[in-house]
Amino acid sequence: MRGSQVRILYGPLVIVMTTNQKILFLALASVLTVSLMVKIDLFTADLGRHIKNGEIVLTGSAAERTAVVTTNYYSYTEGGTPFVNHHWLSGVIFFLFFTVVGFSGLSILYIAGMVAAFWLIFDLIRDRAHPWILFTISCVGIVVIASRAEVRPEVFTYLFAAFFLWVCLRYDEGSIDKKWLWLMPAVQLLWVNLHVGFILGPFIIGVFFLSSLVRKHFSKAVALGRVLLAACLVMLANPSFIRGALYPFHIFDSYSYRVFENQSISFLEHLDMGNPYTFSAYKILVALVLVSSIVAAFVQWRKISAPLLIVSAVYGVMGWFAIRDFPLFGLVGVAATVTNIEIIREHGVGRFKFLTKEMLAFPLFFLLAMAGMVLALGLVVQRSSDFGIGVKEGAHDAIEFFKANEIKGPLFNNYDSGGYAIFGLFPGEKVFFDNRPEAYTKRFVDGEYIAAMENPALFKELEKTYAFNAILFYYRDYTPWGQAFITTKVFDPEWAPVYLDTDMIILLKRNSQNESIVAAHEIPQKFFTVSK
């Protein structure tokens, strides 16, 4: 590549980035940034609970800190249920940013983390292919990476997974010293307390370790083996010790609630749900990785990076079956495809003359670039109503109404509104249920939460047990039981709707405690209609 060079010093490593590469990265990073600019939906996000986690860890008593990291602390229904809070440190970071720079700062933090993850991948491949190829494949990959725009602890998994891959690939190719490997156990120590995806750290190291053994690069295998052992040992440095280190293998043991981001592409498409732009980009990237790997293997299989191929295959399967893993595959899929294309171009020309014909190659990459940009534009347009940073307008209104009228619980709420209620009402009020299915027993989720919304008679029985005084409900809950429940309750003479906005509804029990609030704020039934 031509152009002036920008030198960035990394201790013993000097990274030389040409002006053209810098311009290309800035252009791609800008597209990624715009694609990720979505205002925070505090009603359904986990973010409110994470901020509350951080607040308690930093300002609470020793007993409160212990409770929030080891039990289902926010619930009055199953508050004593053991819970591995694998993301408590993310809450601390989120709380500190929220305190200093608010929700807008949290949006910027998330975007910066995703862009940094992309930069690590871009740095790995920037010298391996022509800028046009880098641009083309990245356009598709960026749509996949930007599929997850909600501020969540998983950003640390995306960033650290990219970092581990960067270190291992750089070491494998001989461009950095083995001392660099010891950064990974240090990062693993943080990762195990930031997000359950920490298990990907040892996985990545392990893949490169086994690859070195197979290739009989024993000195590299020894170095990687030591680092792998250290990374596994530091996973014990979490509040739940061995249970926390093994939690990624058990988190779904008691999961009995279908969470949107844990569903497969085929399942969501069958229900006509999900994002068609990110789904299309994912399928294109899967095809690119698969086809380029097959052709590269046919051309010169010894040149293929086996670890990169294995990691991309595993991430590809993970993403196909759980869309929360899309960004992982988006990152590594770009690296794998570009690397394979360079193998084809470098070693396939002598065997396949058509590879030298730009008239064939250019239209193909032009079409890919157009597809990527159209999908990116479609994604941004689809999110245009919520475009920006910070929190959605009116996000605090329901909580402010609750507080201003001094409404008291016990509170019945649905899954989606749990984190919102925790953020705005705890410790004054605890929740019936929240968006952590792993923190509740299957008996409770199926036998009380879902069953009570499906069966009015059972809800009556639960009223006797819990003495519900208020209902806080995110009525865009499109589960069959959620819609059935709220449709029934707005016309239930024992309950009075007193607050309604575009997302939330509050109902109060008709009793002497709520009499004055109902008299002042009751919404007449004529304002509610049931559509089929």
Side-chain angles (χ1 to χ4, degrees):
M1 295 176 121
R2 297 178 180 178
S4 60
Q5 295 181 337
V6 179
R7 290 179 175 268
I8 308 173
L9 186 63
Y10 289 86
L13 173 69
V14 176
I15 293 181
V16 180
M17 182 180 290
T18 68
T19 300
N20 289 343
Q21 290 172 339
K22 186 177 181 181
I23 292 172
L24 176 60
F25 172 73
L26 289 175
L28 292 170
S30 297
V31 175
L32 178 57
T33 297
V34 172
S35 300
L36 289 168
M37 291 180 67
V38 181
K39 289 190 175 181
I40 297 167
D41 185 352
L42 197 59
F43 301 116
T44 61
D46 296 338
L47 182 58
R49 189 186 69 250
H50 293 306
I51 294 173
K52 186 61 68 174
N53 282 346
E55 179 185 348
I56 293 172
V57 169
L58 291 177
T59 66
S61 66
E64 289 171 334
R65 288 196 296 270
T66 300
V68 82
V69 299
T70 60
T71 66
N72 187 356
Y73 184 52
Y74 301 114
S75 170
Y76 68 84
T77 53
E78 296 211 319
T81 303
F83 172 62
V84 177
N85 193 331
H86 56 86
H87 43 231
W88 69 270
L89 186 55
S90 291
V92 170
I93 295 172
F94 289 163
F95 174 70
L96 290 173
F97 266 78
F98 173 73
T99 302
V100 177
V101 288
F103 284 111
S104 294
L106 287 170
S107 292
I108 294 171
L109 172 67
Y110 185 84
I111 293 171
M114 297 294 276
V115 171
F118 178 71
W119 182 87
L120 289 165
I121 298 302
F122 179 85
D123 182 66
L124 285 174
I125 60 177
R126 59 187 171 79
D127 291 323
R128 300 190 181 194
H130 189 277
W132 176 243
I133 296 176
L134 288 176
F135 175 78
T136 299
I137 306 303
S138 296
C139 281
V140 177
I142 280 174
V143 182
V144 180
I145 297 167
S147 63
R148 301 287 289 167
E150 187 176 303
V151 181
R152 290 173 174 263
E154 61 198 38
V155 66
F156 297 109
T157 284
Y158 304 146
L159 176 59
F160 293 156
F163 175 71
F164 274 48
L165 190 63
W166 185 92
V167 172
C168 288
L169 272 172
R170 285 296 188 196
Y171 176 68
D172 189 58
E173 68 186 15
S175 62
I176 61 174
D177 187 82
K178 64 181 179 182
K179 293 179 180 178
W180 277 72
L181 298 177
W182 290 101
L183 287 175
M184 292 188 290
V187 171
Q188 188 73 41
L189 181 62
L190 297 173
W191 198 353
V192 72
N193 294 292
L194 286 165
H195 187 251
V196 72
F198 66 82
I199 195 64
L200 294 177
F203 164 70
I204 294 170
I205 301 171
V207 168
F208 281 87
F209 167 71
L210 292 175
S211 176
S212 296
L213 282 179
V214 170
R215 291 177 293 161
K216 299 182 179 180
H217 295 170
F218 297 119
S219 61
K220 287 186 177 181
V222 170
L224 287 164
R226 290 172 177 168
V227 171
L228 175 59
L229 177 61
C232 290
L233 288 175
V234 300
M235 290 196 304
L236 298 172
N238 70 86
S240 299
F241 196 51
I242 293 176
R243 186 165 178 252
L246 298 177
Y247 195 55
F249 302 105
H250 299 287
I251 188 172
F252 292 113
D253 286 355
S254 60
Y255 242 72
S256 61
Y257 193 88
R258 282 191 179 272
V259 179
F260 178 82
E261 58 263 26
N262 289 338
Q263 305 311 310
S264 68
I265 294 177
S266 56
F267 176 82
L268 293 174
E269 286 184 328
H270 177 71
L271 296 178
D272 197 25
M273 299 176 66
N275 192 308
Y277 300 106
T278 57
F279 285 3
S280 297
Y282 196 91
K283 293 174 183 177
I284 292 173
L285 191 57
V286 166
L288 288 172
V289 173
L290 185 61
V291 172
S292 66
S293 297
I294 293 172
V295 176
F298 188 71
V299 169
Q300 184 60 273
W301 67 269
R302 293 182 183 275
K303 293 292 183 179
I304 289 180
S305 171
L308 186 58
L309 180 61
I310 293 170
V311 172
S312 61
V314 171
Y315 287 178
V317 172
M318 288 170 57
W320 190 269
F321 287 102
I323 63 171
R324 72 158 65 243
D325 297 318
F326 267 31
L328 288 170
F329 180 66
L331 292 164
V332 74
V334 169
T337 302
V338 170
T339 302
N340 289 336
I341 289 174
E342 185 58 20
I343 293 172
I344 296 168
R345 285 171 59 87
E346 183 177 349
H347 300 280
V349 171
R351 299 178 63 183
F352 305 100
K353 298 299 183 183
F354 69 86
L355 290 174
T356 63
K357 296 181 179 179
E358 296 298 331
M359 67 178 66
L360 181 66
F362 181 80
L364 174 62
F365 288 110
F366 179 79
L367 288 174
L368 282 174
M370 289 297 101
M373 287 188 285
V374 168
L375 291 171
L377 180 61
L379 180 63
V380 172
V381 171
Q382 186 186 54
R383 294 171 169 174
S384 60
S385 60
D386 298 321
F387 182 77
I389 60 173
V391 72
K392 285 184 179 180
E393 186 177 353
H396 303 286
D397 291 353
I399 291 300
E400 290 303 320
F401 179 88
F402 207 99
K403 291 180 176 179
N405 290 279
E406 299 181 347
I407 298 172
K408 303 297 181 183
L411 176 70
F412 180 87
N413 66 282
N414 58 334
Y415 169 91
D416 294 292
S417 62
Y420 180 71
I422 290 169
F423 174 72
L425 300 176
F426 187 88
E429 298 295 338
K430 290 193 171 186
V431 297
F432 182 81
F433 187 46
D434 69 87
N435 39 11
R436 298 171 300 165
E438 69 273 22
Y440 295 81
T441 63
K442 180 176 173 59
R443 178 204 60 79
F444 172 80
V445 175
D446 293 341
E448 291 194 11
Y449 174 70
I450 295 177
M453 287 195 285
E454 290 178 326
N455 186 343
L458 181 56
F459 183 82
K460 285 276 190 183
E461 291 299 315
L462 285 185
E463 277 194 85
K464 296 176 183 178
T465 302
Y466 296 115
F468 301 132
N469 186 59
I471 295 174
L472 178 68
F473 206 90
Y474 178 75
Y475 64 84
R476 295 186 185 277
D477 175 351
Y478 293 124
T479 60
W481 51 85
Q483 288 295 300
F485 173 79
I486 200 61
T487 300
T488 301
K489 277 290 164 281
V490 294
F491 297 110
D492 189 333
E494 295 185 11
W495 289 87
V498 295
Y499 174 87
L500 181 70
D501 61 28
T502 56
D503 298 278
M504 302 294 293
I505 185 171
I506 297 174
L507 300 97
L508 298 182
K509 186 74 173 178
R510 293 185 188 274
N511 55 33
S512 58
Q513 179 181 344
N514 299 323
E515 187 175 3
S516 61
I517 306 173
V518 172
H521 299 285
E522 182 173 8
I523 302 171
Q525 289 189 355
K526 66 181 181 180
F527 285 94
F528 298 97
T529 58
V530 179
S531 59
K532 296 182 179 181

